[in-house]
Amino acid sequence: MSHCPRGSMSESLIDMSHAKDHVDNQKTRGIGDLRNNSSGRLDTENVTDSHVLVLYTGGTIGMIRNRDGVLVPKANAFVKTLRNYPHLHDKQYAEERFGSMGPLVLPLSAKDNKRVIYKILEYSPLRDSSDMTIDDWIRIAKDIKQSYEHFDGFVVLHGTDTLSYTASALSFMLESLGKIVILTGSQISIFDSRSDGLDNFLSSLIIAANYNIPEVCVYFGTKLMRGNRTCKISTISFDAFDSPNFPTLAKTNIKIEVDYRAIFRSCTLEKFHVHANLNRNVGLLRIFPSITTHLVRACLQPPIEGVVLQTYGIGNVPTNRHDIMQELHAATKRGIIIVNITQCSAGYVSNAYESGKLLQEVGVISGFDMTPEAALTKLSYVLSKEEWDAQTKIEMMQINLRGELTAGRPPYLEDLDLVEAVARSLRISSSTERQELGSILFPAMLNTAVKNRDVMKLEALKRYGANISQQNADGRTALHIACCEGDVNIVCNLLRMGANVHIKDRFNRTPLSDAIEFDHHEIIKILIQSGAHLHGRGYIIGEKICAAAAVGNMKRLKSYELANADFSQKDFSGRTPLHFAALHGKIQAIKFLLEHNVDTKTLDKTHQSPYDLAKVSGYTEAVTLLS
């Protein structure tokens, strides 16, 4: 497996596999220690694992009542308590496989085909959401980056008051995101007898582990929403959050129904990275009757560099307040970016009225239908981009970067909808049947277009409403097929259309796995450039590399090199690829592995080194190389 950076962290990492120390006396460990290893028993279940990292930052969801009955955060109590909840932790299975202090594991139902294994990183100190700052957003983003290659999805437990701010900020900071990040919390503690926290947490874990939604999302009630489209609408309802200007991404009723056409996908050949330098000189200014010139002027003074202006209705300000207009004009001339959004909870701003045109004339730009949280955090993000000049920053504020705004046509207006047309011809009326029809038609047509190397057909299918990452009955996508076929042009076009490099099929294979299997080196490079990485348990990957070394398959070893594999990875017997190359006298493989600085002293479970195996097998040249 490829290595992730190591570093000390102030947080306590709870629930590491095979932890020897008691949970109350755990040593601080870095997320860099999270890597697949060969320890533990071989899994005999006919299911695959899906791994989720939970960042527990604080909030009501994890609070515990003290002796006075008051909810308070309590350090290191969250995980200990979760272990006693059978619907959140399969204790028998987890202890058999990982030991008593291993990770948390969700129970497996008859319909599940994946084991959800989750680990919790508890922040210290736990934060009330009203105390959250830009520094906390940066901390969360960096933790996701550090553990990105070791988990299939991420859940952030967060207080509700500023949750939408954090979700919006993360959506911009996590650039070229290819995995799901879900923020959730609760109105009542998860440990109270009647709580919304249980459903919110469980559903977030299941969605994060199983669904191809590469966005920063908010889950609350029964709705999964785009994070930068949400706002808190209630202090008393379990449906505390809403997405007023954009439809939900998924609904969790008896079935989880995902609207894949609504998902925003990164369409760049770029690896996931974090932009952690936000501009703090931004603010919100809300227009109200009789607002004073002094107040407007004060809000626009240095060091302020950007302001979100909340105006009436469709973007109106008093037309008879020339003093306000003068202050706004003077500020824009000084280079301050002022973004106009509506005070209404739903809708957008427009220059249809005189006052809207006046704002445009003094240099105020439209924020379209952005929420205040999205507009403010986007402004902070855009202003921090040192590589962009002033005009570019103004343009970027009006461009849809992460699905945060709708400019021009509605988000879903499809010129033609192929599934609808077929459904009408078959007299299908129910939404469930239409969804099933799409799940059959689109994957088949996408895969056929890939095999025929027909880029125009792929583009047409996407226009007709196809999800370019839609899976067939075996969980395979068009990108899986393309990586087997070996056409670089098709692979690049699929990635530019937003194809996800991390999707696993029913055999736990990713597109990168297929590219390695067929030794398509150029495609491996492109996938790695686009953020792909090796998935799966270390010993399984180790066995495959060992097999290549045993037969001297240099092309396959090169494939694993391009995929950033760890050539010192052991198989389940404790042998490395060098052991097998030595055992079978594969000189080229031995030289290749030595060039990659593998450990020549590693002993297998029979306490033999590669040198010992070469000597026993009688390969003199191998002995010389290894001596």
Side-chain angles (χ1 to χ4, degrees):
M1 293 294 291
S2 58
H3 290 273
C4 68
R6 295 179 181 272
S8 61
M9 302 180 66
S10 60
E11 301 90 336
S12 299
L13 184 60
I14 309 297
D15 283 338
M16 291 296 300
S17 299
H18 310 286
K20 296 179 180 179
D21 300 320
H22 190 273
V23 68
D24 289 329
N25 192 34
Q26 279 198 342
K27 297 179 180 178
T28 302
R29 301 176 67 180
I31 289 185
D33 292 328
L34 288 169
R35 64 178 67 258
N36 293 310
N37 53 64
S38 300
S39 57
R41 67 171 176 79
L42 283 168
D43 193 12
T44 57
E45 284 187 312
N46 189 28
V47 294
T48 56
D49 292 340
S50 193
H51 296 262
V52 177
L53 178 65
V54 179
L55 302 179
Y56 173 36
T57 68
T60 301
I61 191 167
M63 289 185 179
I64 294 175
R65 294 194 181 276
N66 62 17
R67 293 178 180 177
D68 299 324
V70 178
L71 285 170
V72 293
K74 186 177 179 182
N76 299 325
F78 188 61
V79 175
K80 284 177 64 178
T81 313
L82 286 182
R83 289 186 185 280
N84 297 318
Y85 278 65
H87 35 295
L88 287 168
H89 182 53
D90 188 338
K91 190 173 183 178
Q92 180 178 349
Y93 173 86
E95 289 189 0
E96 179 187 349
R97 181 171 172 186
F98 301 111
S100 60
M101 299 312 300
L104 294 156
V105 183
L106 289 188
L108 192 68
S109 72
K111 295 181 180 179
D112 293 335
N113 58 4
K114 288 185 180 180
R115 270 281 184 184
V116 180
I117 300 170
Y118 63 106
K119 294 168 183 167
I120 297 180
L121 175 64
E122 181 177 300
Y123 279 23
S124 178
L126 294 169
R127 302 282 254 178
D128 186 284
S129 71
S130 60
D131 295 330
M132 297 294 276
T133 66
I134 286 178
D135 293 326
D136 295 299
W137 301 343
I138 293 171
R139 181 181 182 183
I140 294 168
K142 286 184 174 179
D143 284 350
I144 291 172
K145 176 186 177 182
Q146 197 172 357
S147 56
Y148 187 76
E149 294 192 1
H150 304 286
F151 294 91
D152 301 297
F154 302 86
V155 172
V156 180
L157 298 181
H158 195 290
T160 59
D161 288 346
T162 62
L163 188 147
S164 289
Y165 283 99
T166 303
S168 297
L170 290 175
S171 75
F172 300 113
M173 297 168 70
L174 304 179
E175 299 183 325
S176 299
L177 183 64
K179 300 181 182 181
I180 190 169
V181 177
I182 303 177
L183 281 82
T184 192
S186 68
Q187 300 283 60
I188 301 176
S189 169
I190 196 173
F191 303 124
D192 273 16
S193 56
R194 179 177 172 270
S195 170
D196 58 327
L198 178 60
D199 286 339
N200 288 346
F201 188 36
L202 264 177
S203 296
S204 295
L205 286 171
I206 290 167
I207 294 171
N210 290 282
Y211 290 89
N212 164 35
I213 306 173
E215 289 201 47
V216 176
C217 307
V218 168
Y219 183 87
F220 234 86
T222 59
K223 298 180 295 185
L224 183 76
M225 299 160 279
R226 178 169 298 155
N228 56 37
R229 290 282 192 160
T230 62
C231 53
K232 186 175 180 180
I233 59 170
S234 176
T235 61
I236 56 174
S237 171
F238 283 164
D239 290 318
F241 286 82
D242 192 22
S243 174
N245 291 319
F246 197 81
T248 56
L249 302 180
K251 293 181 180 178
T252 56
N253 296 310
I254 293 176
K255 289 185 177 180
I256 297 176
E257 299 174 357
V258 180
D259 186 353
Y260 283 103
R261 288 194 301 176
I263 294 168
F264 186 88
R265 299 181 185 277
S266 173
C267 296
T268 57
L269 304 184
E270 190 174 61
K271 200 168 189 175
F272 167 74
H273 56 285
V274 169
H275 180 80
N277 179 30
L278 296 179
N279 189 306
R280 299 164 192 261
N281 299 320
V282 295
L284 282 163
L285 173 61
R286 185 180 177 96
I287 297 296
F288 57 88
S290 297
I291 186 171
T292 65
T293 310
H294 177 75
L295 176 58
V296 174
R297 185 184 301 126
C299 290
L300 298 171
Q301 292 303 304
I304 286 293
E305 297 177 49
V307 169
V308 176
L309 184 68
Q310 290 186 273
T311 55
Y312 305 135
I314 204 167
N316 299 322
V317 293
T319 56
N320 59 351
R321 294 295 304 275
H322 302 296
D323 54 336
I324 293 178
M325 289 300 179
Q326 287 174 356
E327 293 297 337
L328 295 175
H329 193 201
T332 58
K333 286 178 70 176
R334 293 197 306 270
I336 295 175
I337 297 178
I338 304 177
V339 184
N340 182 21
I341 64 169
T342 178
Q343 296 179 9
C344 301
S345 59
Y348 54 91
V349 297
S350 167
N351 60 2
Y353 291 89
E354 179 186 1
S355 60
K357 290 182 179 178
L358 288 173
L359 286 172
Q360 189 178 31
E361 288 172 2
V362 300
V364 176
I365 63 175
S366 174
F368 299 97
D369 58 351
M370 281 193 287
T371 64
E373 296 91 340
L376 186 71
T377 55
K378 181 179 182 180
L379 192 54
S380 177
Y381 168 78
V382 167
L383 285 170
S384 69
K385 286 284 190 174
E386 295 180 357
E387 64 270 28
W388 294 344
D389 60 25
Q391 184 56 39
T392 301
K393 290 176 181 179
I394 290 173
E395 291 171 1
M396 288 298 173
M397 283 305 301
Q398 299 173 90
I399 291 174
N400 186 20
L401 298 180
R402 304 286 192 275
E404 73 280 0
L405 62 81
T406 308
R409 61 187 289 176
Y412 285 106
L413 185 57
E414 299 293 341
D415 297 324
L416 293 170
D417 193 321
L418 184 60
V419 173
E420 286 294 327
V422 175
R424 284 196 297 271
S425 69
L426 297 176
R427 297 182 179 179
I428 291 173
S429 58
S430 78
S431 59
T432 302
E433 288 177 316
R434 281 196 188 93
Q435 190 175 4
E436 289 176 355
L437 181 63
S439 69
I440 296 169
L441 284 177
F442 282 134
M445 289 188 287
L446 287 167
N447 294 345
T448 300
V450 166
K451 296 186 81 171
N452 293 335
R453 291 161 168 73
D454 192 338
V455 175
M456 292 182 66
K457 178 67 70 64
L458 288 171
E459 291 173 344
L461 287 168
K462 187 177 180 184
R463 288 197 304 272
Y464 292 155
N467 165 23
I468 207 71
S469 291
Q470 194 160 347
Q471 296 170 268
N472 65 13
D474 281 331
R476 295 177 67 72
T477 67
L479 188 59
H480 281 87
I481 305 300
C483 290
C484 293
E485 294 293 313
D487 190 299
V488 174
N489 182 49
I490 290 291
V491 169
C492 287
N493 274 280
L494 285 170
L495 291 170
R496 290 192 185 100
M497 292 178 196
N500 193 305
V501 297
H502 300 296
I503 295 176
K504 301 175 187 175
D505 65 14
R506 71 186 301 178
F507 310 108
N508 212 34
R509 296 167 65 95
T510 64
L512 180 60
S513 306
D514 287 332
I516 291 171
E517 190 70 25
F518 288 89
D519 297 310
H520 295 313
H521 291 173
E522 286 305 311
I523 289 177
I524 294 171
K525 292 177 187 177
I526 292 165
L527 292 173
I528 294 295
Q529 177 189 337
S530 301
H533 57 80
L534 290 168
H535 285 261
R537 296 183 193 164
Y539 71 81
I540 294 176
I541 295 172
E543 284 176 350
K544 292 179 179 179
I545 302 174
C546 288
V551 297
N553 187 342
M554 300 306 299
K555 199 171 184 181
R556 183 61 46 81
L557 290 176
K558 181 64 177 177
S559 294
Y560 277 108
E561 177 190 26
L562 293 172
N564 299 321
D566 177 7
F567 286 110
S568 293
Q569 177 65 58
K570 300 177 182 179
D571 70 355
F572 207 74
S573 66
R575 289 183 173 178
T576 66
L578 189 60
H579 279 89
F580 282 89
L583 179 64
H584 297 282
K586 302 301 177 183
I587 302 303
Q588 277 188 295
I590 292 172
K591 290 179 178 178
F592 175 89
L593 293 168
L594 291 175
E595 287 171 3
H596 286 78
N597 300 314
V598 297
D599 187 358
T600 60
K601 306 292 185 182
T602 302
L603 302 180
D604 64 14
K605 289 190 175 180
T606 63
H607 302 289
Q608 291 181 300
S609 68
Y611 172 86
D612 296 331
L613 293 177
K615 190 173 182 180
V616 168
S617 301
Y619 292 112
T620 307
E621 189 175 355
V623 170
T624 302
L625 286 169
L626 294 167
S627 59

